[in-house]
Amino acid sequence: MTRPEQRLTDFLRSRGFAWLLTMVATAVACVSFMRPMPDTPADMGLWLPSPGLWLSDSPSTSFVSAMAGSIATALAMVAVNRVFNLLRTVSVLFAGLFMLLQSATPTELTRFSGAPLLAVAMLMSMTALYASYQSRHNTRRVFLIFMTITTGAMFQYGFMPYLIVALIGCYQMRLLDLKCILAALTGVVTPLWCCLAAGIIDPMAMRLPPMPDPHLFFSLPVAPKLTVAIGVSLTAGLVCGTLNLMKVISMNARTRAMHGFLAVTGIASGVLCIMDFNNVVFYAGLLNACTAFQVSFTVRLYGHRRAYIAVIALTAACLSCILWTLTTT
């Protein structure tokens, strides 16, 4: 790699570039907020009102909350990396890439939904699992993970598949035994039992998720832009994740387990975006977080082999999605 390429790589990994991407995302969000708000796929909770309905009467409050949720997700990503050295770098490139991916997805930064709640909840679960590696006696963290996800499912049914993801994570962290399973089951039952005892929910009033309706989804004006933006994130995560896997398999068992859970979370989010496309906005934030991690890790592992191309390509694709969104109604 030539000296100019090395300087370019160093710039892309710098805090300045991450801040630049964050400022671009913020500017895009402000411009998008001042434009007519497009209709987006609706979400729903199993019993309680979904987060997408909490602030629907106040667009400005919804906008501020959506931005705060994305920033909280980026900060949680930074915390995970610093505590566990997940990417083996002090660079915060992934935080900037996450904000850029968010701005490429229509309404992610302009309208509050359950997406940031899912992302933060799963990053918290990731932290708890990483901290519990091979600590089978510590079942409190497992209980907390499953209680958090189940509580989220009461407000948004999209949380439910992540119970399986968390269980796979327990297996990857070598926690899965009888105590772990009992702690997980207790975590699932506890919020349901408490809400039932308090009269907050009625078991007979459970709202089952609707079957995906392609006609309903693609009839929305925002559907093509949303599909392309999700496709960009999904493709980048898949390509970079595959490249990273070639290096990760030669690392120690703990590192393999940590990146394995990150990969499973990203794959599950991508699959859910495809299968439950009527609720795609809900999964987009977590998918973007996993993709940002994978792209940043690729730059760390393949920095000497022109990995900067991945960052430039992803940035160009996101900017193209942004321009498409801002130049059309």
Side-chain angles (χ1 to χ4, degrees), residues 6-181:
Q6 183 61 55
R7 287 199 293 265
L8 176 60
T9 301
D10 292 340
F11 170 69
L12 295 178
R13 296 175 61 182
S14 67
R15 290 179 179 271
F17 184 67
W19 277 110
L20 177 62
L21 294 181
T22 302
M23 288 188 290
V24 169
T26 303
V28 170
C30 293
V31 173
S32 299
F33 175 68
M34 292 185 291
R35 293 164 56 87
M37 299 288 282
D39 293 330
T40 55
D43 56 3
M44 58 177 288
L46 294 179
W47 284 285
L48 301 175
S50 68
L53 301 176
W54 294 353
L55 304 174
S56 58
D57 295 334
S58 178
S60 58
T61 305
S62 179
F63 168 67
V64 172
S65 300
M67 284 294 298
S70 292
I71 293 172
T73 302
L75 293 176
M77 294 169 66
V78 173
V80 169
N81 184 57
R82 287 193 174 181
V83 173
F84 301 102
N85 197 21
L86 179 64
L87 305 184
R88 301 190 173 190
T89 178
V90 296
S91 170
V92 291
L93 170 62
F94 55 87
L97 290 176
F98 167 74
M99 293 299 293
L100 186 65
L101 284 165
Q102 289 286 89
S103 64
T105 308
T107 74
E108 277 294 317
L109 292 178
T110 56
R111 180 177 295 170
F112 183 74
S113 67
L117 301 181
L118 173 67
V120 171
M122 290 307 296
L123 287 168
M124 290 174 56
S125 300
M126 189 179 293
T127 301
L129 285 173
Y130 289 172
S132 303
Y133 180 73
Q134 286 188 326
S135 300
R136 297 190 176 184
H137 62 280
N138 192 348
T139 56
R140 288 176 295 179
R141 291 193 180 103
V142 176
F143 168 80
L144 180 62
I145 291 169
F146 283 84
M147 185 181 70
T148 300
I149 296 175
T150 303
T151 302
M154 296 169 65
F155 292 93
Q156 223 302 337
Y157 72 84
F159 274 91
M160 291 179 62
Y162 289 94
L163 291 172
I164 300 175
V165 174
L167 194 62
I168 294 174
C170 291
Y171 172 77
Q172 292 173 313
M173 298 300 143
R174 302 182 182 181
L175 303 175
L176 199 59
D177 58 7
L178 181 59
K179 288 184 179 180
C180 175
I181 294 175

